[in-house]
Coordinates of all heavy atoms in Angstrom, one line a residue:
M1 N -16.0 7.1 0.5 CA -15.2 6.1 -0.3 C -13.8 6.0 0.3 O -13.1 6.9 0.4 CB -15.3 6.4 -1.8 CG -14.8 5.4 -2.7 SD -14.8 5.7 -4.4 CE -16.5 6.3 -4.7
D2 N -13.4 4.7 0.6 CA -12.1 4.5 1.2 C -11.0 4.4 0.0 O -11.4 4.3 -1.2 CB -12.0 3.2 2.0 CG -12.3 1.9 1.2 OD1 -12.5 2.0 -0.1 OD2 -12.1 0.8 1.7
N3 N -9.8 4.4 0.4 CA -8.7 4.5 -0.6 C -8.6 3.2 -1.5 O -8.3 3.4 -2.7 CB -7.3 4.7 0.2 CG -7.2 6.0 0.7 OD1 -7.8 7.0 0.3 ND2 -6.4 6.3 1.8
I4 N -8.9 2.1 -1.0 CA -8.8 0.9 -1.7 C -9.8 0.9 -2.9 O -9.6 0.6 -4.0 CB -9.1 -0.4 -0.8 CG1 -7.9 -0.5 0.1 CG2 -9.4 -1.6 -1.7 CD1 -8.1 -1.5 1.1
T5 N -11.1 1.4 -2.6 CA -12.1 1.5 -3.6 C -11.7 2.6 -4.7 O -11.9 2.3 -5.9 CB -13.5 2.0 -2.9 OG1 -13.9 1.0 -1.9 CG2 -14.6 2.1 -4.0
V6 N -11.2 3.7 -4.2 CA -10.6 4.8 -5.2 C -9.7 4.1 -6.1 O -9.7 4.3 -7.3 CB -10.2 6.0 -4.3 CG1 -9.5 6.9 -5.3 CG2 -11.4 6.6 -3.7
I7 N -8.7 3.4 -5.6 CA -7.5 2.9 -6.4 C -8.0 1.8 -7.3 O -7.8 1.8 -8.6 CB -6.5 2.2 -5.5 CG1 -5.8 3.2 -4.7 CG2 -5.5 1.3 -6.3 CD1 -4.8 4.1 -5.5
K8 N -9.0 1.0 -6.9 CA -9.6 -0.2 -7.8 C -10.5 0.4 -8.8 O -10.4 0.0 -10.0 CB -10.2 -1.2 -6.9 CG -9.3 -2.0 -6.1 CD -10.0 -3.3 -5.5 CE -8.9 -4.1 -4.9 NZ -9.5 -5.3 -4.4
N9 N -11.3 1.5 -8.5 CA -12.0 2.2 -9.6 C -11.1 2.9 -10.6 O -11.4 2.8 -11.7 CB -12.9 3.3 -8.9 CG -14.1 2.6 -8.2 OD1 -14.5 1.5 -8.3 ND2 -14.7 3.5 -7.3
F10 N -10.0 3.5 -10.1 CA -9.1 4.1 -11.0 C -8.5 3.1 -12.0 O -8.3 3.2 -13.1 CB -7.9 4.8 -10.3 CG -6.8 5.3 -11.1 CD1 -6.9 6.5 -11.8 CD2 -5.6 4.4 -11.2 CE1 -5.8 6.9 -12.5 CE2 -4.6 5.0 -12.0 CZ -4.6 6.1 -12.6
M11 N -8.1 1.9 -11.4 CA -7.6 0.7 -12.2 C -8.6 0.3 -13.2 O -8.2 0.1 -14.4 CB -7.2 -0.4 -11.3 CG -5.9 -0.1 -10.4 SD -5.5 -1.4 -9.3 CE -5.1 -2.8 -10.3
A12 N -9.8 0.1 -12.8 CA -10.8 -0.4 -13.8 C -11.0 0.7 -14.8 O -11.1 0.3 -16.0 CB -12.2 -0.7 -13.1
D13 N -11.2 1.9 -14.5 CA -11.3 3.1 -15.5 C -10.2 3.1 -16.5 O -10.5 3.7 -17.6 CB -11.6 4.4 -14.8 CG -12.9 4.4 -13.9 OD1 -13.7 3.5 -14.1 OD2 -12.9 5.4 -13.1
N14 N -9.0 2.8 -16.1 CA -7.9 3.0 -17.0 C -7.3 1.7 -17.5 O -6.3 1.6 -18.0 CB -6.8 3.7 -16.2 CG -7.1 5.2 -16.0 OD1 -7.0 6.0 -16.9 ND2 -7.7 5.5 -14.8
G15 N -8.0 0.6 -17.4 CA -7.7 -0.8 -17.8 C -6.4 -1.4 -17.3 O -5.7 -2.0 -17.9
L16 N -6.1 -1.1 -16.0 CA -4.9 -1.4 -15.4 C -5.2 -2.8 -14.6 O -6.2 -3.0 -13.9 CB -4.4 -0.5 -14.4 CG -4.0 0.9 -14.9 CD1 -3.6 1.8 -13.7 CD2 -2.9 0.7 -15.8
K17 N -4.3 -3.8 -14.8 CA -4.4 -5.1 -14.1 C -3.6 -5.1 -12.8 O -3.9 -5.8 -11.9 CB -3.9 -6.3 -15.1 CG -4.7 -6.4 -16.3 CD -4.2 -7.6 -17.1 CE -5.1 -7.7 -18.3 NZ -4.7 -8.9 -19.1
Y18 N -2.5 -4.3 -12.8 CA -1.7 -4.3 -11.6 C -1.3 -2.9 -11.3 O -1.1 -2.1 -12.2 CB -0.4 -5.1 -11.7 CG -0.8 -6.6 -12.1 CD1 -0.6 -6.9 -13.4 CD2 -1.1 -7.6 -11.2 CE1 -0.9 -8.2 -13.8 CE2 -1.3 -8.8 -11.7 CZ -1.3 -9.2 -12.9 OH -1.5 -10.4 -13.3
L19 N -1.1 -2.5 -10.0 CA -0.6 -1.3 -9.6 C 0.3 -1.5 -8.4 O -0.1 -2.1 -7.3 CB -1.7 -0.3 -9.2 CG -1.4 1.1 -8.7 CD1 -0.8 1.9 -10.0 CD2 -2.6 1.9 -8.2
L20 N 1.5 -1.1 -8.5 CA 2.5 -1.2 -7.5 C 2.6 0.2 -6.7 O 2.6 1.3 -7.1 CB 3.9 -1.4 -8.0 CG 5.1 -1.6 -6.9 CD1 4.9 -2.8 -6.2 CD2 6.5 -1.6 -7.8
V21 N 2.4 0.0 -5.4 CA 2.3 1.1 -4.5 C 3.4 1.0 -3.4 O 3.5 0.0 -2.7 CB 1.0 1.3 -3.7 CG1 0.9 2.4 -2.8 CG2 -0.2 1.3 -4.7
N22 N 4.3 2.0 -3.5 CA 5.4 2.0 -2.5 C 5.2 3.0 -1.4 O 4.2 3.6 -1.3 CB 6.8 2.2 -3.2 CG 6.7 3.5 -4.0 OD1 6.1 4.5 -3.6 ND2 7.6 3.5 -5.1
S23 N 6.3 3.3 -0.6 CA 6.1 4.2 0.6 C 6.6 5.7 0.2 O 6.6 6.5 1.1 CB 6.9 3.7 1.6 OG 8.3 3.6 1.3
T24 N 6.7 5.9 -1.1 CA 7.2 7.3 -1.4 C 6.0 8.3 -1.3 O 4.8 7.9 -1.5 CB 7.9 7.4 -2.7 OG1 7.0 7.1 -3.8 CG2 9.1 6.5 -2.8
N25 N 6.3 9.5 -1.3 CA 5.2 10.6 -1.4 C 5.2 11.1 -2.9 O 5.9 10.5 -3.6 CB 5.5 11.7 -0.5 CG 6.7 12.5 -0.7 OD1 7.4 12.4 -1.7 ND2 7.0 13.5 0.2
E26 N 4.5 12.1 -3.0 CA 4.3 12.6 -4.5 C 5.5 13.1 -5.0 O 5.7 13.2 -6.3 CB 3.2 13.7 -4.5 CG 3.7 14.9 -3.7 CD 2.5 16.0 -3.5 OE1 2.2 16.7 -4.5 OE2 1.9 16.1 -2.4
F27 N 6.6 13.4 -4.3 CA 7.9 13.9 -4.8 C 9.0 12.8 -4.8 O 10.1 13.0 -5.0 CB 8.5 15.0 -4.0 CG 7.4 16.2 -3.9 CD1 6.7 16.5 -2.7 CD2 7.2 17.0 -5.1 CE1 5.8 17.5 -2.7 CE2 6.2 18.0 -5.0 CZ 5.6 18.2 -3.9
L28 N 8.4 11.5 -4.5 CA 9.3 10.3 -4.5 C 10.2 10.3 -3.3 O 11.4 9.7 -3.5 CB 10.0 10.0 -5.8 CG 9.1 10.0 -7.0 CD1 9.9 9.8 -8.4 CD2 8.1 8.8 -7.0
V29 N 9.9 11.1 -2.3 CA 10.7 11.0 -1.1 C 10.4 9.7 -0.3 O 9.3 9.4 0.0 CB 10.5 12.2 -0.2 CG1 11.3 12.1 1.1 CG2 11.0 13.5 -1.0
E30 N 11.5 8.9 -0.2 CA 11.2 7.5 0.5 C 10.9 7.6 2.0 O 10.1 6.8 2.4 CB 12.5 6.7 0.3 CG 12.4 5.3 0.8 CD 13.6 4.5 0.4 OE1 14.6 5.0 -0.2 OE2 13.6 3.2 0.9
Y31 N 11.6 8.5 2.8 CA 11.4 8.6 4.1 C 10.5 9.8 4.5 O 11.1 11.0 4.3 CB 12.7 8.6 4.9 CG 13.5 7.3 4.7 CD1 14.6 7.3 3.7 CD2 13.0 6.2 5.3 CE1 15.3 6.1 3.5 CE2 13.8 4.9 5.0 CZ 14.8 4.9 4.3 OH 15.6 3.8 3.9
N32 N 9.4 9.6 4.7 CA 8.4 10.8 4.9 C 7.4 10.3 6.0 O 7.5 9.3 6.7 CB 7.7 11.0 3.6 CG 7.0 9.7 3.0 OD1 6.3 9.0 3.7 ND2 7.3 9.5 1.8
T33 N 6.5 11.2 6.3 CA 5.6 11.1 7.3 C 4.4 10.1 6.9 O 4.3 9.9 5.7 CB 4.8 12.3 7.7 OG1 4.1 12.9 6.6 CG2 5.9 13.4 8.2
L34 N 3.8 9.5 7.8 CA 2.7 8.5 7.4 C 1.7 9.2 6.6 O 1.1 8.5 5.8 CB 2.1 7.9 8.7 CG 3.0 6.8 9.4 CD1 2.3 6.3 10.6 CD2 3.5 5.7 8.5
E35 N 1.4 10.5 6.9 CA 0.4 11.2 6.2 C 0.7 11.3 4.6 O -0.2 11.5 3.8 CB 0.1 12.6 6.7 CG -0.5 12.6 8.1 CD 0.5 12.2 9.1 OE1 1.7 12.5 9.0 OE2 0.1 11.7 10.2
E36 N 2.0 11.3 4.3 CA 2.5 11.4 2.9 C 2.9 10.0 2.3 O 3.2 9.9 1.2 CB 3.6 12.3 2.8 CG 3.4 13.8 3.2 CD 4.8 14.6 3.3 OE1 5.9 14.0 3.4 OE2 4.6 15.6 3.0
N37 N 2.8 9.0 3.1 CA 3.1 7.6 2.7 C 2.1 6.8 1.9 O 1.1 6.4 2.5 CB 3.5 6.8 3.9 CG 4.1 5.5 3.6 OD1 3.7 4.7 2.9 ND2 5.2 5.1 4.3
S38 N 2.4 6.7 0.6 CA 1.2 6.1 -0.2 C 0.9 4.8 0.2 O -0.3 4.4 0.3 CB 1.7 6.0 -1.7 OG 2.1 7.4 -2.0
R39 N 1.8 3.9 0.5 CA 1.6 2.5 0.9 C 0.8 2.5 2.3 O -0.1 1.7 2.4 CB 2.8 1.7 1.1 CG 2.7 0.2 1.2 CD 3.8 -0.5 2.1 NE 3.9 0.3 3.4 CZ 5.1 0.8 3.8 NH1 6.2 0.9 3.1 NH2 5.2 1.5 5.0
Y40 N 1.1 3.3 3.2 CA 0.5 3.4 4.5 C -1.1 3.8 4.2 O -2.0 3.2 4.8 CB 1.1 4.3 5.4 CG 0.4 4.6 6.7 CD1 0.2 3.6 7.6 CD2 -0.5 5.8 6.9 CE1 -0.5 3.7 8.8 CE2 -1.2 5.9 8.0 CZ -1.2 4.9 9.0 OH -1.9 5.1 10.1
K41 N -1.3 4.8 3.3 CA -2.6 5.3 3.0 C -3.4 4.1 2.5 O -4.7 4.1 2.8 CB -2.7 6.4 2.1 CG -2.1 7.8 2.6 CD -2.1 8.8 1.6 CE -1.6 10.0 2.1 NZ -1.6 11.2 1.2
L42 N -2.8 3.2 1.9 CA -3.7 2.1 1.3 C -3.7 1.0 2.2 O -4.9 0.3 2.2 CB -2.9 1.7 -0.1 CG -3.6 0.6 -0.8 CD1 -5.0 1.1 -1.3 CD2 -2.8 0.1 -2.0
T43 N -2.7 0.6 2.9 CA -2.7 -0.6 3.7 C -2.7 -0.5 5.2 O -3.0 -1.4 6.0 CB -1.5 -1.5 3.3 OG1 -0.3 -0.9 3.9 CG2 -1.4 -1.9 1.9
K44 N -2.3 0.8 5.7 CA -2.2 1.0 7.2 C -1.0 0.3 7.7 O -0.8 0.3 9.0 CB -3.4 0.6 8.0 CG -4.7 1.3 7.5 CD -4.4 2.9 7.5 CE -5.8 3.6 7.2 NZ -5.6 4.9 6.4
F45 N -0.1 -0.2 6.9 CA 1.2 -0.8 7.4 C 2.2 0.4 7.5 O 2.5 1.1 6.5 CB 1.7 -1.8 6.4 CG 3.1 -2.2 6.8 CD1 3.4 -2.9 7.9 CD2 4.1 -2.1 5.9 CE1 4.7 -3.3 8.2 CE2 5.4 -2.4 6.2 CZ 5.7 -3.1 7.4
S46 N 2.6 0.6 8.7 CA 3.5 1.8 9.1 C 5.0 1.4 9.0 O 5.8 2.3 9.4 CB 3.1 2.3 10.4 OG 3.4 1.3 11.5
G47 N 5.3 0.3 8.7 CA 6.9 0.0 8.7 C 7.6 0.8 7.6 O 6.9 1.2 6.7
S48 N 8.9 0.8 7.8 CA 9.7 1.7 6.8 C 9.9 0.9 5.5 O 10.2 1.6 4.5 CB 10.9 2.1 7.4 OG 11.7 1.0 7.7
T49 N 9.8 -0.4 5.4 CA 10.1 -1.1 4.3 C 8.9 -1.9 3.9 O 8.5 -2.8 4.7 CB 11.3 -2.0 4.4 OG1 12.4 -1.2 4.8 CG2 11.7 -2.7 3.2
G50 N 8.6 -1.9 2.6 CA 7.5 -2.7 2.1 C 6.9 -2.2 0.9 O 6.9 -1.0 0.6
E51 N 6.2 -3.0 0.0 CA 5.5 -2.6 -1.2 C 4.2 -3.3 -1.2 O 3.9 -4.4 -0.9 CB 6.4 -3.1 -2.4 CG 7.8 -2.6 -2.4 CD 8.1 -1.2 -2.6 OE1 7.1 -0.5 -3.2 OE2 9.1 -0.7 -2.1
A52 N 3.2 -2.7 -1.9 CA 1.9 -3.3 -2.0 C 1.6 -3.5 -3.5 O 1.9 -2.5 -4.3 CB 0.9 -2.3 -1.3
L53 N 1.2 -4.6 -4.0 CA 0.8 -4.8 -5.3 C -0.8 -4.9 -5.3 O -1.4 -5.9 -4.7 CB 1.4 -6.1 -5.8 CG 1.0 -6.4 -7.3 CD1 1.6 -5.4 -8.2 CD2 1.6 -7.8 -7.5
V54 N -1.5 -4.2 -6.1 CA -2.8 -4.1 -6.1 C -3.3 -4.8 -7.4 O -2.9 -4.4 -8.5 CB -3.5 -2.6 -6.1 CG1 -5.0 -2.6 -6.0 CG2 -2.9 -2.0 -5.0
T55 N -4.2 -5.7 -7.3 CA -4.9 -6.3 -8.5 C -6.3 -6.0 -8.4 O -6.8 -5.6 -7.3 CB -4.7 -7.8 -8.5 OG1 -5.4 -8.5 -7.5 CG2 -3.1 -8.2 -8.3
P56 N -7.2 -6.3 -9.5 CA -8.7 -6.0 -9.2 C -9.2 -6.9 -8.1 O -10.2 -6.5 -7.5 CB -9.1 -6.6 -10.6 CG -8.0 -6.3 -11.6 CD -6.8 -6.7 -10.7
E57 N -8.6 -8.1 -7.8 CA -9.2 -8.8 -6.8 C -8.8 -8.7 -5.3 O -9.5 -9.0 -4.4 CB -9.0 -10.4 -7.2 CG -9.7 -10.8 -8.4 CD -8.8 -10.4 -9.7 OE1 -7.6 -10.3 -9.5 OE2 -9.4 -10.3 -10.7
T58 N -7.4 -8.4 -5.2 CA -6.8 -8.3 -3.8 C -5.7 -7.4 -3.9 O -5.3 -6.8 -4.8 CB -6.3 -9.7 -3.5 OG1 -6.0 -9.8 -2.1 CG2 -5.3 -10.2 -4.3
I59 N -5.1 -7.3 -2.6 CA -3.9 -6.4 -2.5 C -2.8 -7.3 -1.8 O -3.1 -8.0 -0.7 CB -4.2 -5.2 -1.6 CG1 -5.1 -4.2 -2.2 CG2 -2.8 -4.5 -1.3 CD1 -5.7 -3.1 -1.3
F60 N -1.7 -7.5 -2.3 CA -0.6 -8.1 -1.8 C 0.4 -7.1 -1.1 O 0.8 -6.2 -1.7 CB 0.2 -9.0 -2.8 CG -0.6 -10.0 -3.4 CD1 -1.3 -9.7 -4.8 CD2 -0.7 -11.3 -3.0 CE1 -2.1 -10.6 -5.4 CE2 -1.7 -12.1 -3.6 CZ -2.2 -11.8 -4.7
L61 N 0.8 -7.3 0.1 CA 1.8 -6.6 0.8 C 3.0 -7.4 1.1 O 3.0 -8.5 1.5 CB 1.2 -6.1 2.2 CG 2.2 -5.3 3.1 CD1 2.5 -4.0 2.3 CD2 1.6 -5.0 4.4
F62 N 4.1 -6.8 0.6 CA 5.5 -7.5 0.6 C 6.3 -6.8 1.6 O 6.6 -5.5 1.4 CB 6.0 -7.5 -0.7 CG 5.3 -8.3 -1.7 CD1 4.5 -7.7 -2.6 CD2 5.4 -9.7 -1.8 CE1 3.8 -8.4 -3.6 CE2 4.7 -10.4 -2.8 CZ 3.9 -9.7 -3.7
V63 N 6.7 -7.4 2.6 CA 7.5 -6.8 3.6 C 8.7 -7.7 4.0 O 8.7 -9.0 3.7 CB 6.8 -6.5 5.0 CG1 5.7 -5.6 4.8 CG2 6.4 -7.8 5.7
D64 N 9.9 -7.1 4.5 CA 10.9 -8.0 4.7 C 10.8 -8.7 6.2 O 9.8 -8.4 6.8 CB 12.3 -7.3 4.7 CG 12.6 -6.3 5.8 OD1 11.9 -6.4 7.0 OD2 13.3 -5.3 5.6
G65 N 11.5 -9.6 6.5 CA 11.4 -10.4 7.7 C 11.2 -9.8 9.0 O 10.5 -10.2 9.9
R66 N 11.7 -8.5 9.2 CA 11.6 -7.7 10.4 C 10.1 -7.3 10.6 O 9.7 -6.9 11.8 CB 12.3 -6.5 10.4 CG 13.8 -6.7 10.1 CD 14.6 -5.5 9.9 NE 14.2 -4.9 8.6 CZ 14.5 -3.6 8.3 NH1 15.1 -2.8 9.2 NH2 14.2 -3.2 7.1
Y67 N 9.2 -7.3 9.6 CA 7.9 -6.7 9.7 C 6.8 -7.7 9.6 O 5.7 -7.2 9.6 CB 7.9 -5.5 8.7 CG 8.7 -4.5 8.9 CD1 9.8 -4.2 7.9 CD2 8.5 -3.6 9.9 CE1 10.5 -3.0 8.1 CE2 9.3 -2.4 10.1 CZ 10.4 -2.2 9.2 OH 11.2 -1.1 9.4
H68 N 7.0 -8.8 9.6 CA 5.8 -9.9 9.3 C 4.8 -9.7 10.4 O 3.6 -9.6 10.2 CB 6.3 -11.2 9.2 CG 6.9 -11.6 7.9 ND1 7.2 -12.8 7.5 CD2 7.5 -10.7 7.0 CE1 7.9 -12.8 6.3 NE2 8.0 -11.5 6.0
I69 N 5.2 -9.7 11.8 CA 4.3 -9.6 12.8 C 3.5 -8.2 12.8 O 2.4 -8.2 12.9 CB 4.9 -9.9 14.2 CG1 5.3 -11.4 14.2 CG2 4.0 -9.6 15.3 CD1 6.2 -11.7 15.3
Q70 N 4.3 -7.2 12.6 CA 3.7 -5.9 12.5 C 2.7 -5.7 11.4 O 1.7 -5.2 11.6 CB 4.8 -4.8 12.3 CG 4.4 -3.4 12.3 CD 5.5 -2.4 12.2 OE1 6.7 -2.7 12.2 NE2 5.0 -1.2 11.9
A71 N 3.0 -6.3 10.2 CA 2.1 -6.3 9.1 C 0.9 -7.0 9.4 O -0.3 -6.5 9.2 CB 2.7 -6.8 7.8
D72 N 0.9 -8.2 10.1 CA -0.3 -8.9 10.4 C -1.2 -8.1 11.4 O -2.3 -8.3 11.4 CB 0.2 -10.2 11.1 CG 0.6 -11.3 10.1 OD1 0.1 -11.1 8.8 OD2 1.3 -12.3 10.4
N73 N -0.6 -7.4 12.3 CA -1.3 -6.6 13.2 C -1.9 -5.4 12.7 O -2.9 -5.0 13.2 CB -0.3 -6.2 14.5 CG -0.1 -7.5 15.3 OD1 -0.7 -8.5 15.3 ND2 1.1 -7.5 16.0
E74 N -1.3 -4.8 11.7 CA -1.8 -3.4 11.3 C -2.7 -3.6 10.1 O -3.6 -2.7 9.9 CB -0.5 -2.5 10.9 CG 0.2 -2.1 12.1 CD 1.4 -1.2 11.6 OE1 1.7 -1.1 10.5 OE2 2.0 -0.7 12.6
V75 N -2.6 -4.6 9.2 CA -3.3 -4.6 8.0 C -4.7 -5.3 8.2 O -4.8 -6.2 8.9 CB -2.5 -5.4 7.0 CG1 -3.3 -5.6 5.7 CG2 -1.2 -4.6 6.6
D76 N -5.6 -4.7 7.6 CA -7.0 -5.3 7.6 C -7.1 -6.5 6.6 O -7.0 -6.2 5.4 CB -8.1 -4.2 7.3 CG -9.5 -4.8 7.3 OD1 -9.7 -6.1 7.5 OD2 -10.4 -4.0 7.2
H77 N -7.1 -7.7 7.0 CA -7.0 -8.9 6.1 C -8.3 -9.1 5.3 O -8.4 -9.9 4.5 CB -6.6 -10.1 6.9 CG -5.2 -10.0 7.5 ND1 -4.1 -10.3 6.7 CD2 -4.9 -9.5 8.7 CE1 -2.9 -10.0 7.7 NE2 -3.5 -9.5 8.7
E78 N -9.3 -8.4 5.7 CA -10.7 -8.5 5.0 C -10.7 -7.8 3.7 O -11.6 -8.0 2.9 CB -11.8 -8.2 5.9 CG -11.8 -9.0 7.2 CD -12.0 -10.5 7.0 OE1 -12.9 -10.8 6.0 OE2 -11.4 -11.3 7.6
K79 N -9.8 -6.9 3.4 CA -9.8 -6.0 2.2 C -9.0 -6.5 1.1 O -8.0 -7.2 1.3 CB -9.6 -4.6 2.6 CG -10.7 -3.9 3.5 CD -10.5 -2.5 3.7 CE -11.6 -1.9 4.4 NZ -11.6 -0.5 4.6

């Protein structure tokens, strides 16, 4: 089961409509390795700045202007 499915199942089980996923790790450290980066685990976007908003239907990735092309290249747009 992939991370997106796990997150969406968690949201459904807990009655959540939205979930904000940032790049911090479990200790809220902002600058960490990709293996500890929550946003990367979900979206595969490796830039240092960005947030993901998960809804039951889709995932929105918000990045600043420096990362638009990188995000387009790294993110699976089908999920």
Side-chain angles (χ1 to χ4, degrees):
M1 186 176 309
D2 67 358
N3 289 335
I4 293 172
T5 303
V6 170
I7 291 291
K8 288 191 175 188
N9 287 343
F10 172 82
M11 290 173 64
D13 292 346
N14 291 281
L16 300 174
K17 293 183 181 180
Y18 305 100
L19 183 67
L20 182 65
V21 179
N22 56 28
S23 60
T24 62
N25 67 9
E26 63 187 287
F27 304 108
L28 301 179
V29 174
E30 184 176 358
Y31 298 104
N32 51 50
T33 64
L34 290 179
E35 293 78 25
E36 296 179 332
N37 185 314
S38 301
R39 188 210 54 240
Y40 175 76
K41 288 180 181 179
L42 184 64
T43 67
K44 300 300 182 215
F45 172 65
S46 64
S48 64
T49 304
E51 309 290 334
L53 180 65
V54 183
T55 73
E57 297 81 28
T58 193
I59 299 173
F60 298 95
L61 178 64
F62 299 94
V63 300
D64 70 32
R66 301 173 292 166
Y67 292 113
H68 286 196
I69 293 171
Q70 180 181 348
D72 280 342
N73 289 332
E74 291 180 349
V75 172
D76 182 355
H77 296 273
E78 300 300 317
K79 292 189 176 186

